[in-house]
Amino acid sequence: MGAVCILAPVVIAAWPAFSSAVIAAASSLGYQVVAEAVEVAAPEEQRETTTSVQLEIERSEVVTNSLGRDQRISVSREGITVTFSRDLRGKASLCVTGEGFAKEELKALGEELSQAVVQQYVYQKLMDEMRSRGFVVVEEEQNEDRSIHMKIRHWEG
Amino acid sequence: MIMPHREFEITIEKDGHVEVHVKGYKGRACHDAVKFLEQVVGEVKSQRETSEFYEPEEHVQHRIDHRI
């Protein structure tokens, strides 16, 4: 009834909305926020056993403020630290570092977390827009495959 | 009295892709609902209309008879 459509997400967010999605996604996967800063931190000296992988979130744009200052947020879990920031082209990027991990392992963990960030961003944006239009959530569940299923309804009259 | 309602049944996959079943919208109103989703989520990858889409849009008329 009506229509069925599939949409590919595009993340266009100001920093507060983006970092809010990072925090929600990180906590759902057991990460904890270790730092959120405006200033660019000097990279720490890395040990030889520390591996790092740089990834970016496709179809993303982090809108910066007029000063264009760099912002970043770091989360960590079991020796892995993931730092999200805005790259020079305005895309959301993440750097995954961990001691004693192979690059492939870090890449997989980074992709898992970045997908969760996109999912949380879409969830929060949809909820905000739907609620502002008078829709009410009548059903919501998180499935085992980590997809979120919900029914949102608006009564006429 | 049961009021008509409009409903979005939404699945957000773990990578952020979204599948939406739009219910209670017909014709042009259905197009507008999909357009709204496109603005909120992103690019429409696929879309198919269901039988409800082709039903005529509802026009409700009220007639009040005053009899003295």
Side-chain angles (χ1 to χ4, degrees):
Chain A
M1 302 192 317
V4 177
C5 58
I6 294 172
L7 301 111
V10 176
V11 177
I12 300 176
W15 183 260
F18 180 72
S19 65
S20 161
V22 170
I23 292 166
S27 65
S28 75
L29 292 173
Y31 289 84
Q32 289 192 319
V33 177
V34 288
E36 184 170 7
V38 172
E39 301 295 338
V40 183
E44 288 177 20
E45 207 170 292
Q46 291 187 347
R47 297 182 197 174
E48 281 182 13
T49 50
T50 302
T51 317
S52 108
V53 174
Q54 191 78 32
L55 302 166
E56 70 175 28
I57 297 179
E58 286 179 34
R59 295 191 299 272
S60 70
E61 185 185 341
V62 179
V63 183
T64 185
N65 60 26
S66 57
L67 296 173
R69 297 172 81 182
D70 206 359
Q71 287 172 300
R72 54 187 61 218
I73 182 167
S74 296
V75 297
S76 76
R77 184 187 79 184
E78 296 162 2
I80 298 154
T81 301
V82 186
T83 301
F84 288 85
S85 61
R86 175 184 181 274
D87 72 13
L88 293 172
R89 294 167 302 157
K91 280 195 166 194
S93 69
L94 56 152
C95 180
V96 191
T97 54
E99 207 178 315
F101 287 92
K103 276 188 183 284
E104 285 307 311
E105 285 177 282
L106 295 180
K107 189 179 173 205
L109 289 165
E111 282 171 351
E112 179 190 46
L113 182 55
S114 69
Q115 286 184 348
V117 168
V118 175
Q119 185 195 40
Q120 281 300 320
Y121 171 76
V122 170
Y123 172 80
Q124 289 174 9
K125 194 167 179 198
L126 262 174
M127 286 303 208
D128 289 348
E129 295 287 342
M130 290 295 198
R131 284 189 176 127
S132 72
R133 283 166 173 76
F135 280 81
V136 176
V137 179
V138 292
E139 235 181 80
E140 182 177 336
E141 59 185 2
Q142 176 123 27
N143 299 319
E144 277 182 20
D145 63 0
R146 295 219 323 275
S147 64
I148 300 168
H149 184 78
M150 53 197 177
K151 281 185 183 172
I152 299 173
R153 196 171 287 170
H154 187 280
W155 282 269
E156 305 297 312
Chain B
M1 177 183 162
I2 299 169
M3 288 187 291
H5 63 259
R6 292 179 164 181
E7 186 175 284
F8 289 77
E9 188 170 346
I10 302 170
T11 302
I12 309 174
E13 302 295 344
K14 68 175 186 179
D15 64 357
H17 277 71
V18 179
E19 182 174 335
V20 187
H21 189 166
V22 179
K23 301 174 184 177
Y25 291 86
K26 295 163 190 171
R28 190 188 172 92
C30 192
H31 276 304
D32 291 345
V34 173
K35 195 82 191 159
F36 158 71
L37 289 166
E38 194 174 11
Q39 284 167 358
V40 175
V41 178
E43 187 189 344
V44 176
K45 303 296 282 185
S46 73
Q47 181 185 341
R48 67 181 168 83
E49 282 78 33
T50 56
S51 58
E52 192 184 43
F53 178 88
Y54 300 101
E55 291 172 16
E57 292 186 59
E58 286 167 11
H59 296 283
V60 180
Q61 286 185 335
H62 294 284
R63 203 183 75 185
I64 302 169
D65 292 329
H66 292 282
R67 294 178 188 212
I68 301 171

